Amino acid sequence: MIRRVITMFAGGLAAVLASQAPEFTQQYGQRLGGAVDELRAVVERFDQDARRNGLSREGGLNRLETSADPFLAARGASMRSTVQRYDGLSGQRQAMMAPDVLTRVGAVVRNYDGEIARAAWRDYKPALPLTLEGLLFAVIGFSGGVLVTAITVLPMGRRQWAGRGQCAGKHKAAHSTERSASRSPV
């Protein structure tokens, strides 16, 4: 009985936690979209400045990074980092446009941006999953929770109950022997 309660509790807890994955993914995606939009504006301004001076993006970055002026060289390295982050986040945003939730959640898990994830987690608000996606993750979570509990808790319970059964069997045998001895005529 206790094992069944523990298993159901663990399954229920895992279902609640797993059902939050689509909601967290949505909130992460909103922050990701904002970051991509802001970075796009910065990169586009840089590209425009480079074109006005007859340079490509790469040419502008190289000119800054190879400048004798330490400030300009540092700005070049900073801008290259910004362009790389923009490219990476844009790719993740495209992956998160997939119609199925497993692909979107997978895109966050595989390529999450630490800064965006921390900000999304800091402001995260749990939601009651009333979508098919939330239900799907709740079922997956429940199944996983039950399975993990069955693998870890139930074997311990079986050993414990098996030990009690052996003790009970020895106690019955001893009690039967005592009864038999007390009935025998002497």
Side-chain angles (χ1 to χ4, degrees), residues 22-180:
E23 180 62 24
F24 181 80
T25 299
Q26 177 188 4
Q27 292 182 26
Y28 177 91
Q30 290 170 348
R31 285 190 172 272
L32 176 65
V36 168
D37 291 344
E38 190 57 35
L39 288 171
R40 180 186 307 111
V42 171
V43 170
E44 285 176 354
R45 280 192 303 269
F46 180 81
D47 289 346
Q48 289 169 358
D49 290 343
R51 275 193 305 275
R52 267 189 244 123
N53 289 284
L55 300 169
S56 65
R57 176 188 296 168
E58 191 60 31
L61 291 170
N62 286 337
R63 181 173 291 178
L64 285 173
E65 289 175 320
T66 59
S67 173
D69 183 336
F71 173 75
L72 293 177
R75 286 300 299 146
S78 175
M79 191 63 208
R80 184 172 299 279
S81 175
T82 298
V83 168
Q84 289 170 343
R85 186 162 189 249
Y86 168 69
D87 290 342
L89 294 181
S90 294
Q92 185 181 34
R93 188 175 189 194
Q94 286 300 320
M96 289 186 68
M97 298 291 184
D100 65 292
V101 67
L102 293 176
T103 302
R104 290 192 307 268
V105 171
V108 172
V109 171
R110 280 189 310 276
N111 301 317
Y112 77 93
D113 178 80
E115 187 178 322
I116 293 173
R118 280 188 298 279
W121 183 250
R122 183 186 63 234
D123 296 337
Y124 179 69
K125 303 283 188 272
L128 183 62
L130 298 177
T131 63
L132 186 58
E133 296 168 346
L135 178 63
L136 171 68
F137 273 83
V139 168
I140 291 169
F142 181 80
S143 301
V146 167
L147 182 64
V148 167
T149 303
I151 291 170
T152 58
V153 173
L154 293 182
M156 287 186 279
R158 285 190 185 123
R159 279 187 232 121
Q160 183 181 10
W161 291 110
R164 286 184 183 171
Q166 290 171 356
C167 290
K170 288 178 186 175
H171 180 69
K172 275 185 180 179
H175 189 61
S176 296
T177 308
E178 288 174 11
R179 260 202 233 152
S180 312

